[in-house]
Coordinates of all heavy atoms in Angstrom, one line a residue:
M568 N 85.9 83.3 104.0 CA 86.6 84.6 104.5 C 87.0 85.5 103.4 O 87.4 85.0 102.3 CB 87.9 84.1 105.3 CG 88.6 85.4 105.9 SD 89.8 84.8 107.0 CE 90.8 86.2 107.1
L569 N 86.8 86.8 103.6 CA 87.2 87.8 102.5 C 88.6 88.0 102.6 O 89.3 88.4 103.6 CB 86.4 89.0 102.9 CG 86.5 90.2 101.9 CD1 86.0 89.9 100.6 CD2 85.9 91.4 102.6
D570 N 89.3 87.8 101.5 CA 90.7 88.0 101.4 C 91.1 89.3 100.7 O 92.1 90.0 101.0 CB 91.3 86.9 100.6 CG 91.3 85.5 101.2 OD1 91.4 85.6 102.5 OD2 91.1 84.5 100.6
T571 N 90.3 89.6 99.7 CA 90.8 90.8 98.8 C 89.5 91.7 98.6 O 88.4 91.2 98.4 CB 91.3 90.4 97.5 OG1 92.3 89.5 97.8 CG2 91.9 91.6 96.7
I572 N 89.8 93.0 98.6 CA 88.8 94.1 98.2 C 89.4 94.7 97.0 O 90.6 95.1 97.0 CB 88.6 95.1 99.3 CG1 88.0 94.2 100.6 CG2 87.7 96.1 98.9 CD1 88.0 95.2 101.9
Y573 N 88.6 94.8 95.9 CA 88.9 95.4 94.7 C 88.3 96.8 94.6 O 87.0 96.9 94.6 CB 88.6 94.6 93.5 CG 89.3 93.3 93.5 CD1 88.9 92.2 94.0 CD2 90.5 93.2 92.8 CE1 89.7 91.0 94.0 CE2 91.3 92.0 92.7 CZ 90.9 90.9 93.3 OH 91.6 89.7 93.2
I574 N 89.0 97.8 94.5 CA 88.5 99.2 94.5 C 88.7 99.9 93.2 O 90.0 99.9 92.8 CB 89.1 100.0 95.7 CG1 88.9 99.2 97.0 CG2 88.5 101.4 95.8 CD1 89.5 99.7 98.1
S575 N 87.8 100.5 92.6 CA 88.1 101.2 91.4 C 88.7 102.5 91.6 O 88.7 103.1 92.6 CB 86.6 101.4 90.7 OG 85.8 102.4 91.4
A576 N 89.0 103.1 90.5 CA 89.7 104.4 90.5 C 88.8 105.5 90.9 O 89.2 106.5 91.7 CB 90.3 104.8 89.0
D577 N 87.6 105.4 90.5 CA 86.6 106.6 91.0 C 86.4 106.5 92.5 O 86.4 107.4 93.2 CB 85.2 106.4 90.4 CG 85.2 107.0 88.9 OD1 86.1 107.4 88.5 OD2 84.0 106.8 88.4
V578 N 86.3 105.3 93.1 CA 86.2 105.2 94.6 C 87.4 105.6 95.2 O 87.4 106.3 96.2 CB 85.7 103.7 94.9 CG1 85.8 103.6 96.5 CG2 84.3 103.4 94.4
I579 N 88.7 105.2 94.7 CA 89.8 105.6 95.4 C 90.0 107.2 95.3 O 90.2 107.8 96.3 CB 91.1 105.0 94.7 CG1 91.1 103.5 95.0 CG2 92.4 105.7 95.1 CD1 92.2 102.7 94.2
R580 N 89.6 107.8 94.2 CA 89.8 109.2 94.0 C 88.7 110.1 94.8 O 89.0 111.1 95.4 CB 89.7 109.5 92.5 CG 89.9 111.0 92.2 CD 90.0 111.2 90.6 NE 89.0 110.5 89.8 CZ 89.3 109.4 89.1 NH1 90.5 108.9 89.1 NH2 88.4 108.8 88.5
N581 N 87.4 109.5 94.9 CA 86.3 110.4 95.4 C 85.7 109.8 96.7 O 85.1 110.7 97.4 CB 85.2 110.5 94.3 CG 85.7 111.1 92.9 OD1 86.5 112.0 93.0 ND2 85.2 110.5 92.0
S582 N 85.9 108.6 97.1 CA 85.1 108.0 98.2 C 85.8 107.2 99.1 O 85.3 106.4 99.9 CB 83.9 107.3 97.6 OG 83.1 108.0 96.8
M583 N 87.2 107.2 99.1 CA 88.1 106.3 99.8 C 87.8 106.3 101.3 O 87.8 105.1 101.9 CB 89.6 106.5 99.5 CG 90.4 105.4 99.9 SD 90.1 103.9 99.1 CE 90.8 102.7 100.0
L584 N 87.6 107.5 101.8 CA 87.3 107.6 103.3 C 86.1 106.9 103.8 O 85.9 106.4 104.9 CB 87.3 109.0 103.8 CG 88.7 109.8 103.8 CD1 88.4 111.1 104.1 CD2 89.7 109.0 104.5
D585 N 85.1 106.5 102.8 CA 83.8 105.9 103.2 C 83.9 104.4 102.8 O 82.9 103.7 103.2 CB 82.7 106.5 102.3 CG 82.5 107.9 102.7 OD1 82.1 108.2 103.9 OD2 82.6 108.8 101.8
T586 N 85.1 103.9 102.4 CA 85.1 102.4 102.0 C 84.9 101.5 103.2 O 84.1 100.4 103.1 CB 86.4 102.1 101.3 OG1 87.5 102.3 102.1 CG2 86.4 102.8 100.0
G587 N 85.4 101.8 104.3 CA 85.3 101.0 105.6 C 83.8 100.8 105.9 O 83.4 99.8 106.2
D588 N 83.1 101.9 106.0 CA 81.8 102.0 106.4 C 80.9 101.2 105.3 O 79.9 100.6 105.7 CB 81.3 103.3 106.6 CG 81.8 103.9 107.9 OD1 82.3 103.2 108.7 OD2 81.8 105.2 108.1
A589 N 81.3 101.5 104.0 CA 80.5 100.8 103.0 C 80.6 99.2 103.0 O 79.6 98.6 103.0 CB 81.0 101.4 101.6
V590 N 81.8 98.8 103.3 CA 82.0 97.4 103.4 C 81.2 96.8 104.6 O 80.5 95.8 104.5 CB 83.4 97.0 103.5 CG1 83.8 95.6 103.8 CG2 84.2 97.4 102.1
A591 N 81.2 97.6 105.7 CA 80.5 97.1 107.0 C 79.0 97.0 106.6 O 78.3 96.1 107.0 CB 80.8 98.2 108.1
A592 N 78.5 98.1 105.9 CA 77.0 98.0 105.6 C 76.8 96.9 104.6 O 75.7 96.3 104.7 CB 76.7 99.5 105.0
F593 N 77.6 96.8 103.7 CA 77.5 95.7 102.7 C 77.3 94.3 103.4 O 76.6 93.4 103.0 CB 78.6 95.6 101.7 CG 78.5 94.4 100.6 CD1 77.6 94.4 99.7 CD2 79.5 93.4 100.8 CE1 77.6 93.3 98.7 CE2 79.4 92.4 99.9 CZ 78.4 92.4 98.9
S594 N 78.2 94.2 104.5 CA 78.1 92.8 105.2 C 76.8 92.5 106.0 O 76.4 91.4 106.2 CB 79.2 92.7 106.2 OG 79.1 93.7 107.3
Q595 N 76.0 93.6 106.1 CA 74.8 93.5 106.8 C 73.6 93.4 105.7 O 72.4 93.3 106.2 CB 74.5 94.7 107.7 CG 75.6 94.8 108.8 CD 75.5 93.6 109.7 OE1 74.6 93.1 110.2 NE2 76.8 93.0 110.0
W596 N 73.9 93.7 104.4 CA 72.8 93.7 103.4 C 72.1 92.5 103.2 O 72.7 91.3 103.1 CB 73.6 94.2 102.1 CG 72.7 94.5 101.0 CD1 71.5 95.1 100.8 CD2 73.0 93.9 99.7 NE1 71.1 95.1 99.6 CE2 71.9 94.4 98.8 CE3 73.9 93.2 99.1 CZ2 71.8 94.1 97.5 CZ3 73.9 92.8 97.8 CH2 72.9 93.3 97.0
K597 N 70.7 92.5 103.2 CA 69.9 91.4 102.8 C 69.3 91.7 101.4 O 68.3 92.4 101.3 CB 68.9 91.3 103.9 CG 69.4 91.2 105.4 CD 69.9 89.8 105.6 CE 70.1 89.7 107.0 NZ 71.5 89.3 107.4
P598 N 69.9 91.1 100.4 CA 69.4 91.5 98.9 C 68.0 90.9 98.6 O 67.8 89.8 99.2 CB 70.5 90.9 98.1 CG 71.1 89.9 98.8 CD 71.0 90.4 100.4
K599 N 67.3 91.6 97.9 CA 65.9 91.1 97.4 C 66.3 90.2 96.3 O 67.4 90.3 95.7 CB 65.2 92.3 96.9 CG 64.7 93.2 98.1 CD 64.0 94.4 97.5 CE 63.7 95.4 98.6 NZ 63.3 96.6 98.2
P600 N 65.5 89.3 96.0 CA 65.7 88.3 94.9 C 66.0 89.1 93.6 O 65.4 90.1 93.3 CB 64.4 87.5 94.6 CG 63.7 87.7 96.0 CD 64.1 88.9 96.6
G601 N 67.1 88.7 92.9 CA 67.6 89.4 91.7 C 68.5 90.5 92.0 O 69.1 91.0 91.0
E602 N 68.6 91.0 93.1 CA 69.6 92.2 93.5 C 71.0 91.6 93.5 O 71.3 90.6 94.3 CB 69.3 92.7 94.9 CG 68.2 93.9 94.8 CD 68.2 94.7 96.1 OE1 68.1 94.0 97.1 OE2 68.2 95.9 96.0
T603 N 71.9 92.3 92.8 CA 73.3 91.8 93.0 C 74.3 92.9 93.2 O 75.5 92.6 93.5 CB 73.7 91.2 91.6 OG1 73.6 92.1 90.5 CG2 73.0 89.9 91.3
V604 N 73.8 94.2 93.3 CA 74.7 95.3 93.5 C 74.1 96.1 94.6 O 72.9 96.5 94.7 CB 74.8 96.2 92.3 CG1 75.7 97.4 92.7 CG2 75.5 95.4 91.2
F605 N 74.9 96.3 95.7 CA 74.5 97.1 97.0 C 74.9 98.4 96.6 O 75.9 98.8 96.2 CB 75.3 96.5 98.1 CG 75.2 97.4 99.3 CD1 74.0 97.4 100.1 CD2 76.3 98.3 99.7 CE1 73.9 98.1 101.2 CE2 76.1 99.0 100.9 CZ 75.0 98.9 101.7
R606 N 73.9 99.4 97.0 CA 74.2 100.9 96.9 C 74.4 101.5 98.3 O 73.5 101.4 99.2 CB 72.9 101.5 96.3 CG 73.1 103.1 96.1 CD 72.0 103.6 95.4 NE 72.1 105.1 95.3 CZ 71.5 106.0 96.1 NH1 70.6 105.5 97.1 NH2 71.7 107.2 96.0
Y607 N 75.7 102.0 98.4 CA 75.9 102.7 99.8 C 75.5 104.2 99.5 O 76.1 104.9 98.8 CB 77.5 102.5 100.1 CG 77.9 103.2 101.4 CD1 77.4 102.6 102.6 CD2 78.6 104.3 101.5 CE1 77.6 103.2 103.8 CE2 79.0 104.9 102.7 CZ 78.4 104.3 103.9 OH 78.8 104.9 105.0
K608 N 74.5 104.6 100.4 CA 73.8 105.8 100.1 C 74.7 106.9 100.7 O 74.4 108.1 100.3 CB 72.4 105.7 100.9 CG 71.5 104.6 100.2 CD 70.3 104.7 100.8 CE 69.4 103.6 100.2 NZ 68.1 103.4 100.8
K609 N 75.6 106.8 101.6 CA 76.4 107.9 102.1 C 77.5 108.4 101.2 O 78.1 109.5 101.3 CB 76.9 107.6 103.4 CG 75.8 107.4 104.5 CD 76.3 107.0 105.8 CE 75.2 106.8 106.8 NZ 75.7 106.5 108.1
A610 N 77.8 107.7 100.1 CA 78.8 107.9 99.2 C 78.5 107.3 97.8 O 77.7 106.4 97.9 CB 80.2 107.5 99.7
D611 N 79.2 107.7 96.8 CA 78.9 107.1 95.5 C 79.8 105.8 95.4 O 80.8 105.7 94.7 CB 79.4 108.1 94.3 CG 79.2 107.6 93.0 OD1 78.4 106.6 92.8 OD2 79.8 108.1 92.1
I612 N 79.2 104.8 96.1 CA 79.9 103.5 96.2 C 78.8 102.4 95.9 O 77.8 102.3 96.6 CB 80.7 103.2 97.4 CG1 81.6 104.2 97.7 CG2 81.2 101.8 97.5 CD1 82.4 104.1 99.1
R613 N 79.2 101.5 94.9 CA 78.3 100.4 94.6 C 79.3 99.2 95.0 O 80.5 99.2 94.6 CB 77.9 100.3 93.1 CG 77.0 101.6 92.7 CD 75.9 101.9 93.5 NE 75.1 103.0 93.1 CZ 75.2 104.3 93.6 NH1 76.2 104.5 94.6 NH2 74.6 105.3 93.1
I614 N 78.6 98.1 95.4 CA 79.5 97.0 95.9 C 78.8 95.7 95.3 O 77.6 95.5 95.5 CB 79.6 96.9 97.5 CG1 80.3 98.2 98.0 CG2 80.5 95.7 97.8 CD1 80.2 98.2 99.5
T615 N 79.6 94.8 94.8 CA 79.1 93.4 94.5 C 80.2 92.4 94.9 O 81.3 92.8 95.3 CB 78.8 93.3 93.0 OG1 78.0 92.2 92.7 CG2 80.1 93.4 92.2
A616 N 79.7 91.2 94.9 CA 80.8 90.1 95.4 C 80.8 89.1 94.5 O 79.8 88.7 93.8 CB 80.3 89.7 96.8
A617 N 81.9 88.5 94.3 CA 82.2 87.2 93.5 C 83.5 86.5 93.9 O 84.6 87.2 94.2 CB 82.3 87.7 92.1
S618 N 83.5 85.2 93.9 CA 84.6 84.3 94.1 C 85.4 84.7 95.4 O 86.6 84.9 95.5 CB 85.5 84.4 93.0 OG 84.8 84.0 91.8
G619 N 84.7 85.1 96.5 CA 85.4 85.4 97.8 C 86.0 86.7 97.8 O 86.7 87.1 98.8
A620 N 85.6 87.7 97.0 CA 86.2 89.0 97.0 C 85.0 90.0 96.8 O 84.0 89.6 96.3 CB 87.2 89.2 95.9
I621 N 85.3 91.2 97.2 CA 84.2 92.2 96.9 C 84.7 93.3 96.0 O 86.0 93.5 96.0 CB 83.6 92.8 98.1 CG1 84.5 93.5 99.0 CG2 82.8 91.7 99.0 CD1 83.9 94.3 100.2
Y622 N 83.9 94.0 95.3 CA 84.3 95.0 94.3 C 83.6 96.3 94.7 O 82.4 96.2 94.6 CB 84.0 94.4 92.8 CG 84.7 93.2 92.5 CD1 84.3 91.9 93.0 CD2 85.9 93.4 91.9 CE1 85.0 90.8 92.6 CE2 86.6 92.1 91.4 CZ 86.1 90.9 91.9 OH 86.7 89.7 91.6
L623 N 84.3 97.3 94.7 CA 83.7 98.7 95.0 C 84.0 99.6 93.8 O 85.1 99.5 93.3 CB 84.4 99.3 96.3 CG 84.0 98.8 97.7 CD1 84.6 97.4 97.8 CD2 84.4 99.8 98.7
M624 N 82.8 100.2 93.3 CA 82.9 101.1 92.1 C 81.9 102.1 92.2 O 81.0 102.1 93.2 CB 82.5 100.2 91.0 CG 81.2 99.7 90.8 SD 81.0 98.2 89.9 CE 81.3 97.0 91.3
S625 N 82.0 103.2 91.5 CA 81.1 104.2 91.5 C 79.8 103.8 90.6 O 79.9 102.9 89.8 CB 81.7 105.4 90.9 OG 82.0 105.2 89.5
E626 N 78.8 104.7 90.7 CA 77.5 104.4 89.9 C 78.0 104.5 88.4 O 77.5 103.6 87.6 CB 76.6 105.3 90.2 CG 75.2 105.1 89.4 CD 74.1 106.0 89.8 OE1 74.3 106.9 90.7 OE2 72.9 105.8 89.3
A627 N 78.7 105.5 88.0 CA 79.0 105.6 86.7 C 79.8 104.4 86.0 O 79.6 104.0 84.9 CB 79.9 106.9 86.3
E628 N 80.6 103.9 86.9 CA 81.5 102.7 86.5 C 80.6 101.5 86.3 O 81.1 100.6 85.5 CB 82.5 102.5 87.4 CG 83.7 103.5 87.4 CD 84.7 103.4 88.5 OE1 84.3 103.1 89.6 OE2 85.9 103.7 88.2
T629 N 79.5 101.4 87.0 CA 78.6 100.2 86.9 C 78.2 100.0 85.5 O 77.9 99.0 85.1 CB 77.4 100.2 87.9 OG1 76.6 101.3 87.5 CG2 78.0 100.2 89.3
R630 N 78.1 101.1 84.6 CA 77.7 101.1 83.2 C 78.8 100.9 82.3 O 78.5 100.8 81.0 CB 77.0 102.4 83.0 CG 75.6 102.6 83.7 CD 74.8 103.7 83.3 NE 75.4 104.9 83.8 CZ 75.2 105.6 85.0 NH1 74.5 105.0 86.0 NH2 75.8 106.6 85.3
Q631 N 80.0 100.8 82.7 CA 81.1 100.5 81.8 C 81.3 99.0 81.6 O 81.2 98.1 82.5 CB 82.4 101.1 82.4 CG 82.4 102.6 82.7 CD 83.7 103.1 83.2 OE1 84.7 102.4 83.5 NE2 83.6 104.4 83.5
P632 N 81.8 98.6 80.3 CA 81.9 97.3 80.1 C 83.2 96.7 80.9 O 83.1 95.4 81.2 CB 82.1 97.1 78.6 CG 82.5 98.6 78.2 CD 81.9 99.5 79.2
K633 N 84.2 97.4 81.2 CA 85.3 97.0 81.9 C 85.6 98.0 82.9 O 85.7 99.3 82.6 CB 86.6 96.7 81.0 CG 86.4 95.4 80.2 CD 87.7 95.1 79.5 CE 88.2 93.7 80.0 NZ 89.4 93.4 79.6
I634 N 86.0 97.6 84.2 CA 86.4 98.5 85.2 C 87.7 98.0 85.7 O 88.0 97.0 86.2 CB 85.3 98.5 86.3 CG1 83.9 98.8 85.8 CG2 85.8 99.4 87.5 CD1 83.0 98.5 86.8
P635 N 88.7 98.9 85.6 CA 90.0 98.7 86.2 C 89.9 98.7 87.7 O 89.5 99.7 88.2 CB 91.0 99.6 85.7 CG 90.2 100.7 85.2 CD 88.8 100.2 85.0
F636 N 90.3 97.6 88.5 CA 90.3 97.7 90.0 C 91.7 97.5 90.5 O 92.6 96.9 89.9 CB 89.5 96.4 90.4 CG 88.1 96.7 90.2 CD1 87.5 96.0 89.2 CD2 87.3 97.3 91.0 CE1 86.1 95.9 89.0 CE2 85.9 97.4 90.9 CZ 85.3 96.8 89.8
T637 N 91.9 98.1 91.6 CA 93.3 97.9 92.4 C 92.9 97.0 93.6 O 92.0 97.1 94.3 CB 93.6 99.3 93.0 OG1 93.8 100.2 92.0 CG2 94.8 99.1 93.9
P638 N 93.6 95.7 93.6 CA 93.3 94.8 94.7 C 94.0 95.4 95.9 O 95.1 95.7 96.0 CB 93.9 93.5 94.1 CG 95.0 94.0 93.1 CD 94.6 95.4 92.7
I639 N 93.2 95.2 97.0 CA 93.7 95.6 98.4 C 93.4 94.4 99.3 O 92.3 94.0 99.3 CB 93.0 96.8 98.9 CG1 93.0 98.1 98.0 CG2 93.5 97.2 100.3 CD1 94.3 98.7 97.7
P640 N 94.5 94.0 99.9 CA 94.2 92.9 101.0 C 93.2 93.3 102.0 O 93.3 94.5 102.5 CB 95.7 92.6 101.5 CG 96.6 93.1 100.6 CD 96.0 94.3 99.9
A641 N 92.2 92.6 102.2 CA 91.1 93.0 103.2 C 91.7 93.4 104.6 O 91.2 94.4 105.1 CB 90.1 91.8 103.3
A642 N 92.7 92.8 104.9 CA 93.4 93.2 106.2 C 93.9 94.5 106.4 O 94.1 95.1 107.3 CB 94.3 92.0 106.6
D643 N 94.4 94.9 105.1 CA 94.9 96.3 105.0 C 94.0 97.6 104.8 O 94.4 98.7 104.8 CB 96.0 96.3 104.0 CG 97.1 95.4 104.2 OD1 97.4 95.0 105.4 OD2 97.7 95.0 103.3
I644 N 92.7 97.3 104.6 CA 91.8 98.3 104.3 C 91.6 99.4 105.4 O 91.5 100.6 105.2 CB 90.4 97.9 103.8 CG1 89.6 99.0 103.2 CG2 89.7 97.2 105.0 CD1 90.1 99.3 101.8
G645 N 91.7 98.9 106.6 CA 91.5 99.9 107.8 C 92.7 100.8 107.9 O 92.5 102.0 108.1
A646 N 93.9 100.2 107.7 CA 95.1 101.2 107.7 C 95.1 102.1 106.6 O 95.4 103.3 106.8 CB 96.4 100.3 107.6
M647 N 94.5 101.7 105.5 CA 94.5 102.5 104.3 C 93.5 103.8 104.6 O 93.8 104.9 104.4 CB 94.0 101.9 103.2 CG 94.0 102.8 101.8 SD 93.4 101.8 100.4 CE 94.9 100.7 100.4
V648 N 92.4 103.4 105.1 CA 91.4 104.6 105.4 C 91.9 105.5 106.4 O 91.8 106.7 106.4 CB 90.0 104.0 105.8 CG1 89.1 105.0 106.2 CG2 89.4 103.2 104.6
R649 N 92.6 104.8 107.6 CA 93.1 105.8 108.6 C 94.2 106.7 108.1 O 94.2 107.7 108.4 CB 93.7 104.9 109.7 CG 92.5 104.2 110.6 CD 93.1 103.7 111.9 NE 94.3 102.9 111.7 CZ 94.4 101.6 111.3 NH1 93.2 101.0 111.2 NH2 95.5 101.0 111.1
S650 N 94.9 106.2 107.2 CA 96.1 106.9 106.6 C 95.5 108.2 105.7 O 96.1 109.3 105.8 CB 97.0 106.1 105.7 OG 96.5 105.8 104.6
M651 N 94.5 107.9 105.1 CA 93.9 108.9 104.3 C 93.2 110.0 105.2 O 93.1 111.1 104.7 CB 93.0 108.4 103.1 CG 93.7 107.5 102.2 SD 92.7 106.9 100.9 CE 93.2 107.8 99.6
A652 N 92.8 109.6 106.3 CA 92.1 110.5 107.2 C 93.3 111.2 108.1 O 92.8 112.1 109.0 CB 91.2 109.8 108.2
G653 N 94.5 110.8 108.0 CA 95.6 111.5 108.8 C 95.8 110.9 110.1 O 96.3 111.6 110.9
A654 N 95.4 109.7 110.3 CA 95.4 109.1 111.7 C 96.4 108.0 111.8 O 96.1 107.1 112.7 CB 93.9 108.7 112.1
V655 N 97.4 107.9 111.1 CA 98.3 106.8 111.1 C 99.7 107.3 111.2 O 100.0 108.5 111.0 CB 98.2 105.9 110.1 CG1 96.9 105.2 110.1 CG2 98.5 106.5 108.7
Q656 N 100.7 106.3 111.3 CA 102.1 106.8 111.4 C 102.7 106.6 110.0 O 102.1 106.1 109.1 CB 102.8 105.6 112.3 CG 102.3 105.6 113.7 CD 102.6 106.9 114.5 OE1 103.6 107.5 114.3 NE2 101.6 107.3 115.1
P657 N 103.7 107.4 109.7 CA 104.4 107.4 108.4 C 104.7 106.0 107.8 O 104.4 105.8 106.6 CB 105.7 108.1 108.6 CG 105.4 108.9 109.9 CD 104.5 108.1 110.7
A658 N 105.1 105.1 108.5 CA 105.3 103.6 108.1 C 104.1 103.1 107.4 O 104.0 102.4 106.4 CB 105.8 102.8 109.1
E659 N 103.0 103.3 108.0 CA 101.7 102.8 107.5 C 101.3 103.6 106.2 O 100.7 103.0 105.2 CB 100.5 103.0 108.4 CG 100.5 101.9 109.6 CD 99.3 102.1 110.6 OE1 99.2 103.0 111.2 OE2 98.4 101.2 110.4
I660 N 101.5 104.7 106.1 CA 101.3 105.6 104.9 C 102.1 105.1 103.7 O 101.6 104.9 102.7 CB 101.6 107.1 105.2 CG1 100.6 107.6 106.1 CG2 101.6 107.8 103.7 CD1 100.8 109.1 106.5
N661 N 103.4 104.7 103.9 CA 104.2 104.2 102.9 C 103.7 102.8 102.5 O 103.6 102.4 101.3 CB 105.7 104.0 103.4 CG 106.4 105.3 103.5 OD1 106.0 106.1 102.8 ND2 107.2 105.3 104.4
Q662 N 103.2 102.0 103.4 CA 102.5 100.7 103.0 C 101.2 100.9 102.2 O 101.1 100.2 101.2 CB 102.1 99.9 104.3 CG 101.4 98.6 104.1 CD 100.9 98.0 105.4 OE1 101.1 98.5 106.3 NE2 100.3 96.8 105.2
V663 N 100.5 101.8 102.5 CA 99.4 102.1 101.8 C 99.6 102.6 100.4 O 98.9 102.2 99.4 CB 98.5 103.3 102.5 CG1 97.4 103.8 101.6 CG2 97.8 102.6 103.8
L664 N 100.6 103.4 100.2 CA 101.0 103.9 98.9 C 101.5 102.8 98.2 O 101.2 102.7 96.8 CB 102.1 105.0 99.0 CG 101.6 106.2 99.6 CD1 102.9 107.3 99.9 CD2 100.6 107.0 98.8
R665 N 102.2 101.8 98.7 CA 102.6 100.7 97.9 C 101.4 99.8 97.4 O 101.3 99.4 96.3 CB 103.7 99.8 98.7 CG 105.0 100.3 98.9 CD 106.0 99.2 99.4 NE 105.5 98.8 100.7 CZ 105.8 99.4 102.0 NH1 106.4 100.4 102.0 NH2 105.3 98.8 103.0
L666 N 100.5 99.7 98.2 CA 99.3 99.0 98.0 C 98.5 99.6 96.7 O 98.1 98.9 95.8 CB 98.3 98.8 99.2 CG 98.7 97.8 100.3 CD1 97.9 98.1 101.4 CD2 98.7 96.5 99.8
L667 N 98.3 101.0 96.9 CA 97.7 101.7 95.8 C 98.4 101.7 94.5 O 97.8 101.8 93.4 CB 97.3 103.1 96.2 CG 96.3 103.3 97.3 CD1 96.3 104.8 97.7 CD2 95.0 102.8 96.9
N668 N 99.8 101.5 94.6 CA 100.5 101.5 93.3 C 100.6 100.0 92.8 O 101.5 99.8 91.9 CB 101.9 102.2 93.5 CG 101.7 103.6 93.6 OD1 100.9 104.2 93.0 ND2 102.4 104.2 94.5
G669 N 100.1 99.0 93.5 CA 100.2 97.7 93.2 C 101.5 96.9 93.4 O 101.8 95.9 92.8
A670 N 102.2 97.4 94.3 CA 103.4 96.8 94.8 C 103.4 96.1 96.1 O 104.4 96.1 96.8 CB 104.6 97.9 94.7
A671 N 102.3 95.6 96.4 CA 102.2 95.1 97.8 C 103.0 93.9 98.1 O 103.5 93.0 97.5 CB 100.7 94.6 98.0

């Protein structure tokens, strides 16, 4: 079971509204031999998985030796995307802000 989604600064800044759809597409992905990174074509999001977690980053970040990620509990990703789209209550927005600031 997926517990945590790690999201890079580029994705948070530029593609956050697409993360839910990107994760859904990644879950349906059938990689070819040797493929380890999924490319979500509707946004600048690349996804890879390791140790029961998934990592979302931009294409530019895939070439960096170290990428700082913000851990987001998988159960909270839906509320986060809804809040950024303006479709949630103020209490959920506060929860999302705490997650993005690492105070979950």
Side-chain angles (χ1 to χ4, degrees):
M568 181 172 163
L569 179 66
D570 293 324
T571 306
I572 298 172
Y573 293 89
I574 304 176
S575 73
D577 279 1
V578 172
I579 289 172
R580 186 175 37 257
N581 302 320
S582 306
M583 194 63 200
L584 292 176
D585 294 301
T586 57
D588 290 340
V590 169
F593 176 73
S594 70
Q595 302 297 314
W596 181 48
K597 305 283 189 239
K599 296 175 185 168
E602 271 188 315
T603 59
V604 177
F605 171 75
R606 178 178 179 259
Y607 184 64
K608 296 179 182 180
K609 295 180 181 178
D611 183 17
I612 300 175
R613 305 301 181 266
I614 304 175
T615 193
S618 303
I621 63 171
Y622 298 81
L623 285 72
M624 69 210 83
S625 69
E626 180 178 8
E628 289 171 320
T629 63
R630 295 185 288 275
Q631 295 178 3
K633 285 190 118 182
I634 304 167
F636 289 99
T637 298
I639 307 292
D643 295 332
I644 195 75
M647 180 177 298
V648 171
R649 285 193 313 277
S650 73
M651 296 182 112
V655 295
Q656 301 299 317
E659 282 185 295
I660 292 172
N661 289 333
Q662 176 186 6
V663 167
L664 291 173
R665 283 192 307 274
L666 289 169
L667 289 174
N668 289 323

